[in-house]
Amino acid sequence: MSETVHLKIQQFGPISDIDIVFNKYTVLIGKQGAGKSTIAKLYSMFTWLEKGLARRTVSDKYITQFSRFQKNYCAYHRLDSYFKTNTIIKFYGLHYNFFYEEGKLQIEEIEHQENYNVAKVMYVPAERFFLSTVDNPMNLKNLPESLKTFLDEFENAKIVLKAGYHLPFNNIAFEYDAQHKISWIKGEDYKIRLSDASSGYQSVIPLTLVTKFLSDLVQDNANKEELGFQERKQIEKEVNKVMNDKTLTEEVKFAMLRTISSRFKYSRFVNIVEEMEENLYPESQMSILFDLLDYTNRIELNRLVLTTHSPYIINYLTLAVKAFQLDRKVSGNDDLSSRINEIVPLQSVVNPAKLFIYELKDGKAIQLSNYDGLPSDENFLNIQLRLTNEMFDQLLEIEEEFDNKD
């Protein structure tokens, strides 16, 4: 079984023609509106559908009938208006392939397997900071569906981690008062409500809490025994009963299916994060990135997908790759490995063979090349930095020209 996932998109929203392979670490860069989130959302949706099909909580017939793919599943991520008459989408997953063309979706199982690598999929939207601006976000109304789902996991994470969680920077701790439903952050000499905190903390707390909570959940699940044949048959029987009950609304069916689904085992965590750098100082961006990489590295089939506008993220990934290469080069030398660990935590290093970085431009995606395994600096973000330096040099030339005239 391949460990990579393949997504091809033509004429969908801002995308004209892209062909992307998702590996263990996948990064999407580009200007606003280039299609980064569109790609990440489709990847999230198809991975979730794979999980549902593998668990028999949905059937291929149910997904493909009555334009549900567009009207229900794509609408969940607000992609339902992105379709064009000539839209083509092809997703080659771990267990299922999906083909959308001429207004119809087809699904094929790659091969029937007794064991599936079922993913816990989490899409972390850029709007997550909104959930930190009030003490009880469950009272918020009219949230987008993807943000609602994230809020559910954020609330679960608060309960589990309420006794205290430390951010990977600034020696800041998180605490949750479940009785009064108030989130707090604590520094060395202060304690304030999360709703009163800086925008950086309001953005990063939901991301890091949910990531830790779900990563721990999947690890705990992965250590449990497989469901027996009879248990699997019983669950399938329950699912069929729900799906064939015409007295139930679709909303009730989905709620019942989620309950059944919760009894299954997860074997991997797919973490899809929009703009992880949101409102963060560069040094804090590095700490959070290394934290996300740590959780990704804990299980071989875990996956991390990032969309970013930050020029620092590629540079920090370069550090993680170099640390990976150097640690293997000095293998057996504990002193040198310890020194590497002080620069880049060894649990956060990145195998360059499993890092794919794509730059989106003009509706297309170009995979960045690398030099000796290190990500190329020939990319949109670094070019923007160089452009700033060139513009400053031009201003200095004008100043010098003026000074010489005097």
Side-chain angles (χ1 to χ4, degrees):
M1 182 188 71
S2 172
E3 292 187 0
T4 60
V5 164
H6 199 171
L7 177 62
K8 296 183 177 182
I9 309 171
Q10 294 179 14
Q11 303 304 320
F12 184 77
I15 296 169
S16 59
D17 189 3
I18 66 101
D19 188 342
I20 285 183
V21 175
F22 290 83
N23 210 314
K24 189 171 184 66
Y25 324 93
T26 307
V27 183
L28 306 172
I29 65 174
K31 295 180 180 179
Q32 287 88 353
K36 302 183 297 298
S37 294
T38 301
I39 293 168
K41 288 174 180 177
L42 285 175
Y43 171 76
S44 173
M45 179 189 64
F46 283 120
T47 307
W48 187 90
L49 287 174
E50 268 204 292
K51 177 185 72 173
L53 289 166
R55 290 181 164 182
R56 308 296 188 260
T57 56
V58 291
S59 67
D60 54 355
K61 183 178 180 181
Y62 180 83
I63 296 169
T64 56
Q65 281 185 333
F66 306 117
S67 300
R68 283 194 182 97
F69 174 67
Q70 180 176 347
K71 295 178 180 179
N72 289 18
Y73 297 105
C74 288
Y76 173 87
H77 280 297
R78 298 190 171 182
L79 299 174
D80 48 316
S81 63
Y82 283 34
F83 287 83
K84 304 173 184 177
T85 55
N86 55 346
T87 291
I88 297 174
I89 304 174
K90 298 179 180 180
F91 180 86
Y92 301 88
L94 297 186
H95 303 293
Y96 292 87
N97 297 329
F98 300 80
F99 307 104
Y100 179 88
E101 191 170 1
E102 296 182 350
K104 295 182 180 180
L105 179 71
Q106 293 183 320
I107 303 173
E108 68 174 22
E109 189 172 7
I110 296 173
E111 58 182 43
H112 186 72
Q113 301 176 38
E114 291 194 8
N115 295 317
Y116 291 84
N117 291 300
V118 177
K120 179 62 179 177
V121 185
M122 189 69 257
Y123 190 89
V124 184
E127 301 90 345
R128 59 188 175 271
F129 70 90
F130 187 62
L131 306 179
S132 300
T133 60
V134 294
D135 286 327
N136 187 8
M138 293 299 287
N139 289 333
L140 294 171
K141 299 186 183 300
N142 301 319
L143 293 175
E145 288 299 317
S146 60
L147 194 57
K148 270 191 209 175
T149 300
F150 182 75
L151 173 58
D152 288 341
E153 299 295 5
F154 185 30
E155 292 299 306
N156 293 335
K158 288 179 187 178
I159 297 298
V160 172
L161 303 171
K162 64 181 180 181
Y165 163 77
H166 278 82
L167 281 171
F169 63 87
N170 287 4
N171 195 27
I172 295 296
F174 169 86
E175 290 182 1
Y176 182 60
D177 180 350
Q179 181 179 356
H180 299 98
K181 297 183 178 179
I182 300 175
S183 299
W184 299 90
I185 61 169
K186 292 175 59 178
E188 293 182 0
D189 56 357
Y190 67 89
K191 179 178 178 179
I192 62 173
R193 293 173 186 250
L194 178 60
S195 57
D196 295 332
S198 72
S199 60
Y201 290 129
Q202 290 179 341
S203 175
V204 79
I205 287 287
L207 167 60
T208 56
L209 250 67
V210 170
T211 295
K212 175 173 173 51
F213 167 66
L214 294 182
S215 176
D216 291 347
L217 176 70
V218 171
Q219 277 199 293
D220 290 343
N221 262 263
N223 293 329
K224 293 178 182 176
E225 294 183 1
E226 292 279 353
L227 293 172
F229 175 78
Q230 291 301 326
E231 292 172 306
R232 293 199 301 271
K233 292 297 290 183
Q234 178 60 30
I235 290 172
E236 188 170 341
K237 180 180 177 181
E238 292 178 33
V239 169
N240 290 334
K241 183 178 179 181
V242 171
M243 297 303 297
N244 294 325
D245 191 338
K246 296 181 179 179
T247 66
L248 301 176
T249 65
E250 289 203 355
E251 185 177 357
V252 172
K253 284 183 179 180
F254 276 118
M256 295 176 70
L257 291 175
R258 280 198 297 268
T259 300
I260 297 171
S261 175
S262 67
R263 287 155 35 193
F264 283 67
K265 169 188 170 182
Y266 292 113
S267 58
R268 61 194 186 102
F269 176 34
V270 176
N271 201 13
I272 305 157
V273 184
E274 280 191 330
E275 301 175 30
M276 59 137 286
E277 72 276 6
E278 194 173 56
N279 302 328
L280 291 178
Y281 185 72
E283 187 179 0
S284 300
Q285 293 180 34
M286 181 174 67
S287 298
I288 296 301
L289 176 63
F290 288 166
D291 199 49
L292 294 177
L293 291 171
D294 178 3
Y295 290 117
T296 306
N297 289 339
R298 292 184 183 187
I299 297 176
E300 181 59 31
L301 280 175
N302 279 358
R303 294 292 180 263
L304 177 64
V305 177
L306 301 175
T307 73
T308 183
H309 297 123
S310 172
Y312 302 105
I313 298 302
I314 307 301
N315 292 334
Y316 298 148
L317 283 167
T318 301
L319 290 176
V321 168
K322 187 61 179 179
F324 173 91
Q325 295 173 331
L326 191 55
D327 183 55
R328 275 144 188 77
K329 186 174 183 178
V330 304
S331 179
N333 189 318
D334 293 342
D335 178 58
L336 292 180
S337 288
S338 178
R339 288 170 59 187
I340 295 169
N341 185 65
E342 291 176 2
I343 301 170
V344 177
L346 291 179
Q347 65 268 26
S348 302
V349 298
V350 169
N351 182 344
K354 298 183 177 183
L355 170 64
F356 288 1
I357 303 174
Y358 291 91
E359 179 178 325
L360 273 69
K361 184 179 181 182
D362 299 328
K364 298 185 178 181
I366 301 171
Q367 184 180 353
L368 296 190
S369 57
N370 62 71
Y371 299 97
D372 296 327
L374 301 178
S376 167
D377 61 0
E378 293 297 324
N379 61 72
F380 163 74
L381 297 175
N382 280 339
I383 288 172
Q384 292 302 113
L385 289 177
R386 287 203 299 270
L387 180 60
T388 303
N389 291 333
E390 291 171 2
M391 292 168 71
F392 188 77
D393 287 341
Q394 291 171 8
L395 291 173
L396 290 179
E397 289 175 4
I398 294 172
E399 181 182 38
E400 184 178 359
E401 183 179 332
F402 176 81
D403 291 341
N404 289 338
K405 286 183 179 178
D406 292 341

